[in-house]
Amino acid sequence: KAHGPLENVCCVGSECGSFLRQRIKPGSIQTIFVNHPEPPTQTYDNASIALSANTADEEPAHMLNSQTLLAAAKCLRQDGKGRLIIVTDNLIYARLVSRTMVRIMEDG
């Protein structure tokens, strides 16, 4: 049986951070899923990735940089129900993203 158009799916071809900043109303998203983002290992080695979360000055180019994480946070619901769910099989990248989140939360 054929189904009509899907009404709950959105596929976007854009740079993530600018899309969130320019196209999504603040506080309007309940959940953002990021499944297996590409880590910045193309330009950084694992040791550099692990250390780079300590400073925004040397942040490697990758989708989940501090500016994108801040943009995502602003788009999420502010009632405690907004969720950012990131799935990766790269432990070093997971640590980089985690440290970046801690750093931007501490910076306020």
Side-chain angles (χ1 to χ4, degrees), residues 33-37 64 84-90 93-94:
F33 293 93
V34 182
N35 296 316
H36 299 281
L64 295 176
L84 173 61
I85 299 172
I86 302 167
V87 178
T88 180
D89 58 357
N90 185 314
Y93 188 50

Side-chain angles (χ1 to χ4, degrees), residues 27-66:
S28 66
I29 303 292
Q30 182 163 331
T31 306
I32 297 173
F33 293 93
V34 182
N35 296 316
H36 299 281
E38 184 70 30
T41 54
Q42 308 303 326
T43 55
Y44 276 64
D45 60 26
N46 286 339
S48 297
I49 292 170
L51 295 173
S52 66
N54 295 325
T55 174
D57 298 336
E58 285 291 322
E59 192 169 19
H62 63 105
M63 184 176 79
L64 295 176
N65 61 41
S66 58

